[in-house]
Amino acid sequence: MASALFYILIFPGFLFVSVFGLAAEYIDRKLCAKLQNRVGPPWFQPLADLVKLVAKETVMPVDADLTIFRLMPVVALTAAITALLYIPMWGPQALFSFQGDVIVVLYLLTIPTLTFFLGGWYSRSVFSMIGAARSITQLFAYEIPLFLSILAPALLANTWSLSEMTVFYGQHPRYGLFNFAGFWIALTALLGKLEKVPFDIPEAETEIVAGSFTEYSGRLLAFFRMTINIEMVVGASLLAAVFLPYGLHLGPLVGFVLYLLKVLLVVALLSLSRTVFARLRIDQMIDFCWKYVAPVAFAQLLADLMLKGLLG
Amino acid sequence: MALLDRIVRWARIKSPWILHFNSGACNACDIEVIAALTPRFDLERFGVLLKGTPRHADVLVCTGPVTRQIKDRLVRIYEQMPEPKFVLAVGTCACSGGVFRGCYNVMDGIDSIIPVSAYIPGCPASPQAIIDGVVKLLAGIDHPETQAAAEESKPAPVEDRPAGKEAVEVTR
């Protein structure tokens, strides 16, 4: 009981993942600033933003469905934090694992997008409804390449459990290199999932104010911001566990430090693309995902299947 | 509780998100506000972020005199912002009405409509002046007693204004 509470509240649960999420946001913003030749925010900036939002008034729109409006940020945060429990962090074994947890993690990471949709839709503001429709449209474009690119390595490893995948790739490190294309596909899909440039179409602030979050303020907005930060960390951890499963057998401490470095690498790549690219239109985004990203993901899947056949 | 209050006040000072609103300016002040947000001046150093929606904003940055057309919109935007909120009047026109003061189609400065926390004069106000004004506004948040004094001296909202400035018939 005490250990379960420790897992949920301290490590790797709420406290650790919140601090890690805030740190990831700081690194993202600072790196973006450095790439734009700016000084960038101080280290406590994400914390100050969070405290300020929590202490601010939370405005409830008159037309909104208040139950869903209030519930969605909490659901989003819960789903994002839960997903981390199944991802190996300090060793080949995650805290919890079972056959099929890779699917569970993928679906838990889909829930925040659905809450953005529902929260935006039931805010009953024109901007948030457009943003909500866009985020769900975008979901259909990036979700399938993401699933294909994560499940192809699982096929090669012949398991549906992230922990067993990590063990397999630890024993056969060269097979991990084989999923190189999948890493970039998953990174692209993660950009869409986190609604970051060039796929920030659902919250395009120059067109539709702030998309789904237009009517959110104060505490509820703080929840959604934390969700995006934690989703970034969890998505990066998923990519690290599936595509960079190296060094996890070196013991908990080295493994954990390596895990942090891998997550930072993925976050750095995300902020690099945020700086380099400009926003696409929604139709361009869907064209890009279906014409180029999905076929490459299929090719990766086929290649993994063939390799598996060759190896018997 | 005093510690909690101090933490919250610290967070408010370190994270002012702004909403830029043109209440009838000639665009010169708007260009300067945008310039202040560019990488050269890099307001993100102080935690300033430009937000699109009043729901996310803490500071309403207003430029220009309030035209009669935009008066209702300005009040509406102001009321859409969650508490605590602050208003920054950028430029001479926003402070007092400037050269447009007394015109039949404008309402003088921003403070004739909504309470203003800090005034930044200039025609247009330079980015340095805007940053200085933001810093002074934040210093005001840090000392609540001066803030309270400022609250008391604020003018009444426009609804209470005398009817003398109502629409004037203009002959061509």
Side-chain angles (χ1 to χ4, degrees):
Chain A
M1 186 62 197
S3 67
L5 273 182
F6 180 77
Y7 290 152
I8 291 168
L9 292 178
I10 315 270
F11 182 88
F14 191 73
L15 189 67
F16 164 72
V17 84
S18 302
V19 172
F20 199 18
L22 290 176
E25 188 198 337
Y26 164 69
I27 287 161
D28 178 40
R29 281 171 69 173
K30 187 79 178 178
L31 210 57
C32 194
K34 287 284 172 201
L35 289 166
Q36 290 175 343
N37 209 6
R38 290 191 282 136
V39 177
W43 63 271
F44 52 75
Q45 193 56 53
L47 183 69
D49 289 350
L50 186 74
V51 174
K52 179 206 71 179
L53 281 177
V54 168
K56 243 176 122 67
E57 181 194 3
T58 309
V59 182
M60 298 291 171
V62 178
D63 294 336
D65 183 324
L66 285 185
T67 319
I68 293 188
F69 188 77
R70 285 205 193 102
L71 192 62
M72 280 308 127
V74 184
V75 173
L77 191 64
T78 317
I81 294 179
T82 313
L84 194 69
L85 296 179
Y86 298 103
I87 297 175
M89 289 192 291
W90 55 86
Q93 191 64 36
L95 198 57
F96 300 106
S97 74
F98 58 92
Q99 281 298 327
D101 60 9
V102 57
I103 315 261
V104 171
V105 166
L106 285 171
Y107 275 107
L108 281 173
L109 284 178
T110 310
I111 288 176
T113 314
L114 290 177
T115 61
F116 299 164
F117 168 73
L118 287 173
W121 189 262
Y122 285 101
S123 307
R124 292 275 168 230
S125 143
V126 183
F127 300 117
S128 67
M129 282 163 96
I130 295 175
R134 283 186 186 184
S135 70
I136 212 80
T137 313
Q138 188 168 294
L139 177 78
F140 289 113
Y142 65 72
E143 198 72 349
I144 289 164
L146 178 67
F147 272 46
L148 286 174
S149 66
I150 301 278
L151 296 185
L155 269 179
L156 186 59
N158 205 18
T159 172
W160 293 117
S161 152
L162 275 170
S163 305
E164 286 179 27
M165 272 167 78
T166 321
V167 172
F168 175 84
Y169 285 110
Q171 286 161 355
H172 311 278
R174 283 184 203 165
Y175 290 1
L177 300 175
F178 199 72
N179 298 318
F180 187 69
F183 176 73
W184 297 102
I185 294 161
L187 196 70
T188 315
L190 197 59
L191 277 174
K193 202 177 252 312
L194 299 169
E195 300 183 351
K196 285 198 182 295
V197 183
F199 301 146
D200 67 333
I201 309 151
E203 50 189 283
E205 57 187 20
T206 43
E207 306 165 31
I208 51 170
V209 187
S212 305
F213 309 132
T214 304
E215 291 294 330
Y216 276 96
S217 55
R219 211 162 295 172
L220 298 176
L221 180 66
F223 266 101
F224 266 142
R225 280 179 66 85
M226 268 322 275
T227 305
I228 293 181
N229 289 341
I230 289 174
E231 212 186 350
M232 175 156 77
V233 166
V234 175
S237 312
L238 181 67
L239 258 63
V242 174
F243 298 105
L244 310 162
Y246 305 112
L248 286 176
H249 58 279
L250 296 173
L253 196 65
V254 181
F256 190 66
V257 171
L258 277 175
Y259 159 78
L260 292 180
L261 289 176
K262 288 174 204 164
V263 170
L264 289 188
L265 173 73
V266 176
V267 170
L269 286 172
L270 289 176
S271 48
L272 178 68
S273 82
R274 190 156 85 89
T275 322
V276 169
F277 295 114
R279 187 190 312 131
L280 296 174
R281 276 201 319 267
I282 186 82
D283 59 317
Q284 290 169 330
M285 189 270 176
I286 287 171
D287 272 7
F288 173 70
C289 279
W290 279 110
K291 280 185 184 163
Y292 304 106
V293 181
V296 178
F298 268 114
Q300 169 78 55
L301 186 71
L302 277 180
D304 273 330
L305 278 177
M306 278 180 196
L307 183 67
K308 199 181 164 196
L310 277 178
L311 298 167
Chain B
M1 290 315 283
L3 180 69
L4 200 63
D5 282 350
R6 266 171 58 200
I7 292 173
V8 167
R9 206 181 305 142
W10 167 82
R12 267 178 204 147
I13 294 161
K14 294 299 178 191
S15 162
W17 290 354
I18 66 167
L19 179 71
H20 177 202
F21 185 74
N22 180 336
S23 55
C26 64
N27 258 335
C29 290
D30 300 298
I31 292 168
E32 299 302 318
V33 169
I34 301 301
L37 292 162
T38 51
R40 182 175 176 83
F41 295 100
D42 187 25
L43 274 181
E44 205 185 356
R45 287 180 289 163
F46 308 118
V48 176
L49 285 184
L50 183 66
K51 290 285 162 183
T53 158
R55 295 269 193 245
H56 297 190
D58 306 296
V59 182
L60 182 63
V61 176
C62 288
T63 52
V66 184
T67 64
R68 283 180 184 276
Q69 278 271 335
I70 215 142
K71 186 189 90 184
D72 296 342
R73 282 84 183 173
L74 176 63
V75 171
R76 192 166 173 186
I77 294 271
Y78 179 72
E79 283 170 354
Q80 281 175 343
M81 288 167 65
E83 293 281 349
K85 53 193 169 190
F86 306 95
V87 178
L88 203 58
V90 174
T92 305
C93 300
C95 293
S96 65
V99 290
F100 302 104
R101 192 180 177 92
C103 267
Y104 66 92
N105 59 340
V106 300
M107 308 288 299
D108 297 356
I110 305 287
D111 58 6
S112 63
I113 307 295
I114 52 175
V116 173
S117 308
Y119 299 86
I120 303 170
C123 187
S126 67
Q128 288 93 333
I130 294 171
I131 294 169
D132 188 43
V134 172
V135 169
K136 285 191 174 137
L137 170 72
L138 298 176
I141 302 174
D142 205 8
H143 298 94
E145 55 279 5
T146 54
Q147 192 70 19
E151 292 274 347
E152 278 168 22
S153 63
K154 272 176 193 168
V158 72
E159 280 77 21
D160 305 334
R161 281 168 66 85
K165 273 189 69 84
E166 284 314 306
V168 178
E169 197 67 36
V170 182
T171 48
R172 301 188 182 197

